[in-house]
Amino acid sequence: MTSRQAPLCGLAPRCLWLLGAVLLMDASARPANHSSARERVGSREENEILPPDHLNGVKLEMDGHLNRDFHQEVFLGKDTDGFEQDAEPRRSRRKLMAIFSKVDLNTDRRISAKEMQRWIMEKTAEHFQEAIAESKAHFRAVDPDGDGHVSWDEYKVKFLASKGHDEREVADKIQNKWDLNVDEETQEVLENLKDRWYQADNPPPDLLLTESEFLSFLHPEHSRGMLQFMVKEIIRDLDQDGDKKLSLSEFISLPVGTVENQQGQDVDDGWVRDRKREFEELIDANRDGIVTAAELEDYMDPMNEFSALNEAKQMIAVADENQNHCLEPEEVLKYSEFFTGSKLVDYARSVHEEF
């Protein structure tokens, strides 16, 4: 498979709906359709060498859920400081307007779809570079002999050590081909990881990953072959009739379980609404009501310029109150929560303060 370099999978779980079942036990929990950046950071620190469930700048999570933070990731890039909930509002507004000016390439105080597309591609390239840097550090951690290759056994030792097993003991067991005595859940994770390892291993397969192959293992968005593997896994988990395609009903199917109260119903309604809009407006390119693997791959490819243009148009439509197909400062400030994750008050007055 061919690696994709800038500028320009976590696993696709076999039980997609488990998260939904957990969610529905607690109506006040975050919708299963979304994931919190803070939650992801915490789990990422615990298992650095485990492929991440979340990929910055990619529309779907590895489990097929929508990436809740996608719009902020492609609008802010790595420049998220100053938009925390407790940030000083005037400073946040000023920074948001500074970003507006960078996107507004022709300085006409309007952001067009083409300008937003260019910006999305630029921010996505930043995420690519960040992923490459992280992968290099993780590769060094699992390549103790520094020979430039990581074997499946070397990785397995480090992975099990990160799960609390004694590293020396695991290495001895693997070397002597003894039973590892891991629990059923860990064994299933290992089997899925090995499948992914095989996919990242360029022909001829030798179960030894180079640094670039290891990048594809951790970040499938960097490799066409691994992106296709990720798409295949997501379709497998959502496809209910076995036709290797996704209908609207399959894509928006709710997690298993029911919720009696209104708050739980709101969660369900939000899941259906968000996924239906994404399916109809962005994923189903030919509008035939069926999403093929090729369509899902194009949608998930972070460096697909056509998809970036469609995304730019959708982002503009969210805040385009005067329907001129562009974004103006007042609109970006009013819809700041969509673009930055933070709601800025007194947006109309602040336009005059910042310009």
Side-chain angles (χ1 to χ4, degrees), residues 287-302:
R287 303 292 193 270
D288 66 351
I290 297 294
V291 164
T292 64
E295 286 176 320
L296 188 59
E297 181 184 336
D298 285 342
Y299 165 78
M300 292 185 62
D301 182 358

PDB file of all heavy atoms in Angstrom, residues 287-302:
ATOM      1  N   ARG A 287     -26.540  10.495  -4.373  1.00  0.00           N
ATOM      2  CA  ARG A 287     -27.902  10.679  -3.861  1.00  0.00           C
ATOM      3  C   ARG A 287     -28.852   9.531  -4.253  1.00  0.00           C
ATOM      4  O   ARG A 287     -30.019   9.747  -4.530  1.00  0.00           O
ATOM      5  CB  ARG A 287     -28.506  12.003  -4.378  1.00  0.00           C
ATOM      6  CG  ARG A 287     -27.687  13.241  -4.040  1.00  0.00           C
ATOM      7  CD  ARG A 287     -27.691  13.518  -2.548  1.00  0.00           C
ATOM      8  NE  ARG A 287     -27.173  14.835  -2.240  1.00  0.00           N
ATOM      9  CZ  ARG A 287     -25.888  15.109  -1.993  1.00  0.00           C
ATOM     10  NH1 ARG A 287     -24.997  14.119  -2.036  1.00  0.00           N
ATOM     11  NH2 ARG A 287     -25.506  16.325  -1.703  1.00  0.00           N
ATOM     12  N   ASP A 288     -28.329   8.299  -4.230  1.00  0.00           N
ATOM     13  CA  ASP A 288     -29.186   7.157  -4.568  1.00  0.00           C
ATOM     14  C   ASP A 288     -29.690   6.425  -3.331  1.00  0.00           C
ATOM     15  O   ASP A 288     -30.337   5.383  -3.433  1.00  0.00           O
ATOM     16  CB  ASP A 288     -28.448   6.177  -5.490  1.00  0.00           C
ATOM     17  CG  ASP A 288     -27.261   5.496  -4.812  1.00  0.00           C
ATOM     18  OD1 ASP A 288     -26.892   5.904  -3.685  1.00  0.00           O
ATOM     19  OD2 ASP A 288     -26.695   4.557  -5.413  1.00  0.00           O
ATOM     20  N   GLY A 289     -29.396   6.962  -2.150  1.00  0.00           N
ATOM     21  CA  GLY A 289     -29.880   6.354  -0.919  1.00  0.00           C
ATOM     22  C   GLY A 289     -29.036   5.214  -0.413  1.00  0.00           C
ATOM     23  O   GLY A 289     -29.366   4.594   0.612  1.00  0.00           O
ATOM     24  N   ILE A 290     -27.927   4.924  -1.084  1.00  0.00           N
ATOM     25  CA  ILE A 290     -27.022   3.847  -0.682  1.00  0.00           C
ATOM     26  C   ILE A 290     -25.595   4.394  -0.657  1.00  0.00           C
ATOM     27  O   ILE A 290     -25.174   5.093  -1.584  1.00  0.00           O
ATOM     28  CB  ILE A 290     -27.092   2.656  -1.661  1.00  0.00           C
ATOM     29  CG1 ILE A 290     -28.483   2.033  -1.655  1.00  0.00           C
ATOM     30  CG2 ILE A 290     -26.038   1.606  -1.313  1.00  0.00           C
ATOM     31  CD1 ILE A 290     -28.865   1.364  -0.347  1.00  0.00           C
ATOM     32  N   VAL A 291     -24.857   4.058   0.409  1.00  0.00           N
ATOM     33  CA  VAL A 291     -23.458   4.470   0.500  1.00  0.00           C
ATOM     34  C   VAL A 291     -22.574   3.260   0.227  1.00  0.00           C
ATOM     35  O   VAL A 291     -22.668   2.239   0.915  1.00  0.00           O
ATOM     36  CB  VAL A 291     -23.134   5.066   1.882  1.00  0.00           C
ATOM     37  CG1 VAL A 291     -21.621   5.136   2.105  1.00  0.00           C
ATOM     38  CG2 VAL A 291     -23.736   6.455   2.012  1.00  0.00           C
ATOM     39  N   THR A 292     -21.745   3.361  -0.799  1.00  0.00           N
ATOM     40  CA  THR A 292     -20.805   2.299  -1.136  1.00  0.00           C
ATOM     41  C   THR A 292     -19.500   2.516  -0.380  1.00  0.00           C
ATOM     42  O   THR A 292     -19.265   3.579   0.218  1.00  0.00           O
ATOM     43  CB  THR A 292     -20.516   2.294  -2.632  1.00  0.00           C
ATOM     44  OG1 THR A 292     -19.862   3.534  -2.980  1.00  0.00           O
ATOM     45  CG2 THR A 292     -21.796   2.166  -3.441  1.00  0.00           C
ATOM     46  N   ALA A 293     -18.635   1.519  -0.426  1.00  0.00           N
ATOM     47  CA  ALA A 293     -17.322   1.638   0.209  1.00  0.00           C
ATOM     48  C   ALA A 293     -16.540   2.794  -0.401  1.00  0.00           C
ATOM     49  O   ALA A 293     -15.837   3.531   0.306  1.00  0.00           O
ATOM     50  CB  ALA A 293     -16.550   0.327   0.072  1.00  0.00           C
ATOM     51  N   ALA A 294     -16.660   2.964  -1.727  1.00  0.00           N
ATOM     52  CA  ALA A 294     -15.938   4.051  -2.402  1.00  0.00           C
ATOM     53  C   ALA A 294     -16.425   5.418  -1.923  1.00  0.00           C
ATOM     54  O   ALA A 294     -15.621   6.340  -1.710  1.00  0.00           O
ATOM     55  CB  ALA A 294     -16.101   3.937  -3.915  1.00  0.00           C
ATOM     56  N   GLU A 295     -17.730   5.570  -1.759  1.00  0.00           N
ATOM     57  CA  GLU A 295     -18.273   6.842  -1.284  1.00  0.00           C
ATOM     58  C   GLU A 295     -17.828   7.122   0.155  1.00  0.00           C
ATOM     59  O   GLU A 295     -17.473   8.261   0.494  1.00  0.00           O
ATOM     60  CB  GLU A 295     -19.801   6.827  -1.368  1.00  0.00           C
ATOM     61  CG  GLU A 295     -20.342   6.957  -2.781  1.00  0.00           C
ATOM     62  CD  GLU A 295     -21.853   6.835  -2.854  1.00  0.00           C
ATOM     63  OE1 GLU A 295     -22.420   5.989  -2.135  1.00  0.00           O
ATOM     64  OE2 GLU A 295     -22.482   7.586  -3.627  1.00  0.00           O
ATOM     65  N   LEU A 296     -17.856   6.107   0.995  1.00  0.00           N
ATOM     66  CA  LEU A 296     -17.440   6.301   2.383  1.00  0.00           C
ATOM     67  C   LEU A 296     -15.948   6.607   2.464  1.00  0.00           C
ATOM     68  O   LEU A 296     -15.516   7.423   3.271  1.00  0.00           O
ATOM     69  CB  LEU A 296     -17.768   5.053   3.205  1.00  0.00           C
ATOM     70  CG  LEU A 296     -17.576   5.172   4.719  1.00  0.00           C
ATOM     71  CD1 LEU A 296     -18.440   6.296   5.292  1.00  0.00           C
ATOM     72  CD2 LEU A 296     -17.905   3.855   5.424  1.00  0.00           C
ATOM     73  N   GLU A 297     -15.175   5.988   1.592  1.00  0.00           N
ATOM     74  CA  GLU A 297     -13.735   6.253   1.569  1.00  0.00           C
ATOM     75  C   GLU A 297     -13.451   7.700   1.164  1.00  0.00           C
ATOM     76  O   GLU A 297     -12.621   8.377   1.780  1.00  0.00           O
ATOM     77  CB  GLU A 297     -13.051   5.290   0.597  1.00  0.00           C
ATOM     78  CG  GLU A 297     -11.538   5.457   0.522  1.00  0.00           C
ATOM     79  CD  GLU A 297     -10.912   4.547  -0.517  1.00  0.00           C
ATOM     80  OE1 GLU A 297     -11.521   3.506  -0.852  1.00  0.00           O
ATOM     81  OE2 GLU A 297      -9.818   4.880  -1.008  1.00  0.00           O
ATOM     82  N   ASP A 298     -14.145   8.168   0.124  1.00  0.00           N
ATOM     83  CA  ASP A 298     -13.963   9.566  -0.294  1.00  0.00           C
ATOM     84  C   ASP A 298     -14.345  10.522   0.831  1.00  0.00           C
ATOM     85  O   ASP A 298     -13.671  11.535   1.068  1.00  0.00           O
ATOM     86  CB  ASP A 298     -14.820   9.865  -1.528  1.00  0.00           C
ATOM     87  CG  ASP A 298     -14.250   9.255  -2.792  1.00  0.00           C
ATOM     88  OD1 ASP A 298     -13.056   8.908  -2.801  1.00  0.00           O
ATOM     89  OD2 ASP A 298     -15.004   9.116  -3.775  1.00  0.00           O
ATOM     90  N   TYR A 299     -15.435  10.225   1.520  1.00  0.00           N
ATOM     91  CA  TYR A 299     -15.917  11.063   2.610  1.00  0.00           C
ATOM     92  C   TYR A 299     -14.914  11.106   3.760  1.00  0.00           C
ATOM     93  O   TYR A 299     -14.684  12.159   4.372  1.00  0.00           O
ATOM     94  CB  TYR A 299     -17.253  10.502   3.094  1.00  0.00           C
ATOM     95  CG  TYR A 299     -17.746  11.015   4.429  1.00  0.00           C
ATOM     96  CD1 TYR A 299     -18.332  12.265   4.556  1.00  0.00           C
ATOM     97  CD2 TYR A 299     -17.637  10.217   5.576  1.00  0.00           C
ATOM     98  CE1 TYR A 299     -18.799  12.721   5.780  1.00  0.00           C
ATOM     99  CE2 TYR A 299     -18.104  10.666   6.796  1.00  0.00           C
ATOM    100  CZ  TYR A 299     -18.678  11.910   6.898  1.00  0.00           C
ATOM    101  OH  TYR A 299     -19.129  12.347   8.116  1.00  0.00           O
ATOM    102  N   MET A 300     -14.273   9.966   4.054  1.00  0.00           N
ATOM    103  CA  MET A 300     -13.369   9.889   5.200  1.00  0.00           C
ATOM    104  C   MET A 300     -11.944  10.317   4.872  1.00  0.00           C
ATOM    105  O   MET A 300     -11.154  10.547   5.786  1.00  0.00           O
ATOM    106  CB  MET A 300     -13.369   8.459   5.752  1.00  0.00           C
ATOM    107  CG  MET A 300     -14.691   8.061   6.384  1.00  0.00           C
ATOM    108  SD  MET A 300     -14.618   6.436   7.157  1.00  0.00           S
ATOM    109  CE  MET A 300     -13.373   6.720   8.412  1.00  0.00           C
ATOM    110  N   ASP A 301     -11.609  10.406   3.600  1.00  0.00           N
ATOM    111  CA  ASP A 301     -10.252  10.786   3.201  1.00  0.00           C
ATOM    112  C   ASP A 301     -10.015  12.258   3.548  1.00  0.00           C
ATOM    113  O   ASP A 301     -10.593  13.146   2.923  1.00  0.00           O
ATOM    114  CB  ASP A 301     -10.086  10.566   1.701  1.00  0.00           C
ATOM    115  CG  ASP A 301      -8.680  10.893   1.214  1.00  0.00           C
ATOM    116  OD1 ASP A 301      -7.847  11.329   2.031  1.00  0.00           O
ATOM    117  OD2 ASP A 301      -8.420  10.709   0.008  1.00  0.00           O
ATOM    118  N   PRO A 302      -9.169  12.542   4.531  1.00  0.00           N
ATOM    119  CA  PRO A 302      -9.000  13.937   4.967  1.00  0.00           C
ATOM    120  C   PRO A 302      -8.324  14.829   3.932  1.00  0.00           C
ATOM    121  O   PRO A 302      -8.408  16.043   4.036  1.00  0.00           O
ATOM    122  CB  PRO A 302      -8.136  13.804   6.235  1.00  0.00           C
ATOM    123  CG  PRO A 302      -7.426  12.508   6.075  1.00  0.00           C
ATOM    124  CD  PRO A 302      -8.349  11.608   5.319  1.00  0.00           C
TER     125      PRO A 302
END
